[in-house]
Amino acid sequence: MKLRIEEFNHFKFTPSVWIIPTLMLVLNWFVFYFDKLFHLNLDQHGIYPRTLRGLQGIVFSPFLHGDLNHIASNTVPLFILTMALIYFYRDVSLKVLLYGILLSGLITWVIGRDSYHIGASSLIYVLVSFIFFKGIQTKYYRLIALSLAVIMVYGGMVWYVFPKVEEKISWEGHLAGLITGFVLSIMYKTPEYKKIIKYDWEHPDYNPMEDKFMQRFDENGNFVNLPIVEVEDEIPSYYSLNTSIDYTIVENKKNESKPEL
């Protein structure tokens, strides 16, 4: 069941919006620098399809990169898309990140070529896919706008899910990320966003014929004055009652006998 909550209670900027993406980038760059500095050849811990040893790459591959251009090209989209995910989909963001890595990695392990598949691009495709499809599914104008913005900026990435576009690129990992993002967008429900109603005319059952203000306009839209109702000047009966009481009191006071000296 979807939960109706107000927008301002959900879309809230918290430190996690920038802390988590920053930590992810720091970890990626630290591993890359450590690998190149000591010549550890950590690429061998990536995903190697359909081998038992290659399963470890499902966890490690998003943090491994081949060269400087590889990690640099993934840095900006990973940071921006992770921020967008946490800000707009805070309740499910960590699940999307965790299961996005695992599921996309598993699919890559199943369909990939016999080679080491490394890099955060699979996770980036998960984020692009999830944000796009979930925004369309919510039918909420802010999230739809976010979906369109993501497609405008990163829509060209869709070509890299097809084979033989570029031999050195893992199109299998990209395709796995695209599929994973779509699946997660269906699995995880988000609140049914309800616009905050400030005015009577925003209610779905609003009837302009019963609106006092709208009644001041004729059928042509011209403003008209309401008819003046004349009220007769009548003195309420209680005035006479009060007058008689006061008079009686005064008369009684006048007729009071004075004490003899």
Side-chain angles (χ1 to χ4, degrees):
M1 180 181 293
K2 293 183 178 180
L3 175 65
R4 285 185 174 271
I5 61 174
E6 294 180 345
E7 174 183 337
F8 63 87
N9 287 331
H10 187 76
F11 298 140
K12 183 179 180 181
F13 189 87
T14 59
S16 62
V17 173
W18 65 269
I19 290 178
I20 294 178
T22 301
L23 290 177
M24 293 178 64
L25 291 186
V26 169
L27 180 59
N28 270 273
W29 279 94
F30 174 78
V31 172
F32 175 77
Y33 178 77
F34 196 77
D35 181 26
K36 299 306 176 183
L37 181 63
F38 295 100
H39 306 285
L40 300 176
N41 296 322
L42 295 179
D43 297 358
Q44 299 178 6
H45 296 281
I47 299 174
Y48 201 93
R50 297 172 297 279
T51 63
L52 186 61
R53 186 174 183 272
L55 285 173
Q56 64 178 332
I58 294 176
V59 177
F60 296 140
S61 62
F63 308 100
L64 304 175
H65 295 84
D67 53 38
L68 185 60
N69 290 332
H70 189 197
I71 189 172
S73 63
N74 286 337
T75 294
V76 175
L78 181 62
F79 184 78
I80 293 176
L81 291 170
T82 305
M83 285 187 63
L85 175 71
I86 297 174
Y87 180 78
F88 289 99
Y89 300 99
R90 182 180 62 214
D91 295 339
V92 299
S93 58
L94 295 181
K95 295 179 181 178
V96 171
L97 290 173
L98 177 60
Y99 294 116
I101 291 174
L102 297 179
L103 183 56
S104 64
L106 181 60
I107 295 175
T108 304
W109 184 83
V110 173
I111 69 173
R113 291 166 287 176
D114 293 335
S115 179
Y116 288 105
H117 297 255
I118 58 174
S121 56
S122 293
L123 179 58
I124 292 173
Y125 274 80
V126 171
L127 298 176
V128 170
S129 178
F130 177 86
I131 292 174
F132 173 73
F133 288 112
K134 178 52 71 176
I136 300 301
Q137 293 167 17
T138 60
K139 299 179 181 180
Y140 182 61
Y141 73 100
R142 292 188 67 180
L143 298 180
I144 292 176
L146 176 64
S147 298
L148 297 178
V150 167
I151 287 301
M152 289 179 61
V153 177
Y154 300 108
M157 295 169 54
V158 69
W159 298 112
Y160 295 100
V161 303
F162 299 106
K164 297 183 179 180
V165 175
E166 189 172 338
E167 291 296 333
K168 293 183 179 181
I169 291 179
S170 175
W171 64 268
E172 300 95 330
H174 297 170
L175 178 61
L178 185 67
I179 295 173
T180 300
F182 174 72
V183 171
L184 294 179
S185 71
I186 297 176
M187 287 179 54
Y188 293 116
K189 303 300 181 183
T190 54
E192 183 178 347
Y193 301 98
K194 181 180 179 182
K195 185 178 180 181
I196 301 173
I197 296 178
K198 297 182 179 179
Y199 307 100
D200 292 338
W201 51 265
E202 293 181 308
H203 288 275
D205 56 349
Y206 169 72
N207 185 3
M209 301 302 296
E210 298 178 356
D211 193 318
K212 296 299 182 181
F213 179 74
M214 295 300 296
Q215 292 174 4
R216 302 297 298 271
F217 296 87
D218 60 17
E219 62 276 6
N220 297 321
N222 299 317
F223 185 81
V224 295
N225 292 319
L226 294 177
I228 300 175
V229 179
E230 295 183 358
V231 180
E232 295 182 0
D233 295 334
E234 294 182 355
I235 300 176
S237 58
Y238 69 85
Y239 281 129
S240 58
L241 177 61
N242 290 343
T243 303
S244 61
I245 293 175
D246 291 340
Y247 178 77
T248 304
I249 293 174
V250 171
E251 288 297 321
N252 290 338
K253 287 182 179 180
K254 288 182 179 181
N255 293 332
E256 287 178 358
S257 59
K258 296 180 179 181
E260 294 180 356
L261 297 176

